[in-house]
Amino acid sequence: MAYLFSVRVISELKTSRTIIPLSNMVTYPAMLNNRRCYSSKVGSESEYLHKSIVPTMHYQRSLPRLPVPKLEDTIKRYLAAQRPLLNDEQYRNTEKLAHNFQSGVGKELHNDLVAQDMKNKHTSYISAPWFDMYLSARDPVVLNFNPFMSFNADPKPEYNDQLLRATNMVASAVRFMKTLRGGFLEPEVFHLNPAKSDTESFKKIIRWVPPALSWYGAYMVNAYPLDMSQYFRLFNSTRIPKPGTDELFTDAKARHLLVMRKGNMYVFDIVDRDGNLVKPAEIQAHLEYILSDPSPAPAFPLGFLTSENRDVWAGLREKLLAAGNGEALRTVDSALFCLCLDDEPMHDHIHISHNMLHGDGCNRWYDKSFSIILTKDGNAAINFEHSWGDGVAVLRFQNEVFKDTTEQPLVNPGSTAAAVDSASVVRRLDFKLDSELENGISKAKENFQAAISKLTIAAVQFQRGGKEMLKKKKLSPDAMVQLAFQMGFLRQYGQTVATYESCSTAAFRHGRTETIRPASVYTQRCAKAFVCQSNQYSVDQLQGMLNACSKYHGQLTKEAAMGQGFDRHLFGMCYLANSKGMPLPSFYQDPAYAAINHNILSTSTLTSPAVSLGGFAPVVPDGFGVGYGVHDEWIGCNVSSYPARNVHEFLQCVHKSLEDIFHVCEGKPIS
């Protein structure tokens, strides 16, 4: 399930989801020991984005642990979320099953989960099962898991040239990697009072506080460090298909970049033997060589295999290895990241969304931890494989790369590519294919094209207002947009359905995400009043309903950010029951439990100075994939659907709902 992301902590901290397995966990002392591979000699300041005086992982050891909620609280929250989705008879049955679970097998599972959590204090109770959920999923990663985030254009138009921007982004990515692995990347901290905590004087003090106590020092000045345990998987990492359950592979010693163009794969080093960034003029020369390579697209582009069912892909990978492609595959897997150079210019935002979310399948390696995609006209985006980590790490990377490339680019329109023999440096990967592998690639291409042909993406911008006006009315901007989705769906389909909003729990060690359930009795009542009964209520009464929705949504958001939702707790107990070989408790066999986890509205929010839009596919065939951003003066939505839903009509209904909400906020009756 692919979810977009956003980073807001404590009051509104949201992102997408995923996890690192305990068995594959790399400890941070081990990661930081890798700094010996990266030169920090005098005069190499351009090798780093910055040099934080507080070490990158300074807070990691002292982060608080993700709490296991009380079982009675979980059941109470679960029933509250079910109430607007069920009729009275269905709710009574679900309520009975829930209470029986709470006093029976659920109590046993909860106690076992707490006991297991106490034995694994180095991590969180959700970490291993959540990670296993991703890697054991057999669906293709394309559309089902990988999301995208597109970069804003460089404010200097001449820097949006494909070659120039690709060179600068590659150089900045290496600078980010070196800053991270050298321990110089500024720790990720949410500052509630930046005047006290985000200062040089505080940093000079906190760096001397022992790592085991550093979180408490930050907490004393209202600062909340975030978990950074996922960052080491950003680079040199790939998801490897295996029968039943995939694996993550990371080789931090590799120094090369993987570049794809027309489905061809090229590699060259972007870090030298001393651990330094290769001269940007040389990187520019190598990329120029690739862009001018007249080689046609391969008849059987290997990238299509990464869009296949994971078991099918695992079987074909074994055949690739048996055919003598082991070294080439390892070269792909160990590359720092993948740079996709597309020959096609973009027409509009919808074209960009389709290209960055799935593309043509030929010029992608969807299994890489992340790929930077650059189109012919300089549009750029990140598409990332979702199993290794959440949006927190990816968004930080994207923000830093955008800032670095726009504020201190290492090549410019007047730069001349180095006079080097790129033909002897850049290596095009060749793969040995037999008829069985060729047939497998052809079938993967057919399946890919059939899947993407069913996807529709549409977007809308609501220009009448944004978060500034809503905040003046003391309303949560996120709550009002989520309410608009509820109103829009009710207007279009006449019902309230299961709705998912991702919320990060990165304030905790190895925290993942929790679910906010925006559909509530408050939004249901308010949506009906606005859509079906507006003439029965005064403006004051409607404003009161908006306030109630805002207040309750704020409560749900805070609970989720503090690890006090119900979804992860219930999932953890179900996973534990399965791992113990227990019969599935009747609570989990309730059709209502299946229905609330069939998320027809899957939503996630993102606002960043680096990001223009983001998106993902629906998580169920009859759902919507709703990416949205609430800006100061406007609201944007980028929504996907399959044929079972009409996304254009849905966005019209959402736009109308936002108009009605803003009308009432201004004290005007609904027109």
Side-chain angles (χ1 to χ4, degrees), residues 235 254 462 483 510:
F235 299 99
F462 178 79
L483 176 61
H510 297 176

Side-chain angles (χ1 to χ4, degrees), residues 163 166-167 170 257 259 261 266-271 278-293 339 341 416-427:
L163 173 60
T167 305
V170 168
L257 172 71
V259 182
R261 179 171 176 260
Y266 309 81
V267 294
F268 64 88
D269 287 351
I270 51 175
V271 176
V278 169
K279 292 178 181 178
E282 293 183 19
I283 295 174
Q284 183 178 1
H286 301 332
L287 294 177
E288 188 174 42
Y289 170 80
I290 292 170
L291 283 168
S292 62
D293 184 4
L339 174 68
L341 298 174
T416 302
V420 294
D421 182 14
S422 293
S424 65
V425 177
V426 178
R427 180 162 59 100

Side-chain angles (χ1 to χ4, degrees), residues 90-124:
Q90 291 169 332
Y91 181 76
R92 282 193 296 270
N93 180 62
T94 293
E95 186 179 40
K96 180 180 178 182
L97 288 170
H99 287 148
N100 288 342
F101 178 76
Q102 179 181 336
S103 59
V105 67
K107 186 175 181 180
E108 174 190 340
L109 288 170
H110 171 79
N111 290 337
D112 287 350
L113 187 66
V114 170
Q116 188 180 83
D117 182 54
M118 292 301 293
K119 293 178 182 177
N120 293 282
K121 293 186 177 181
H122 62 288
T123 188
S124 67

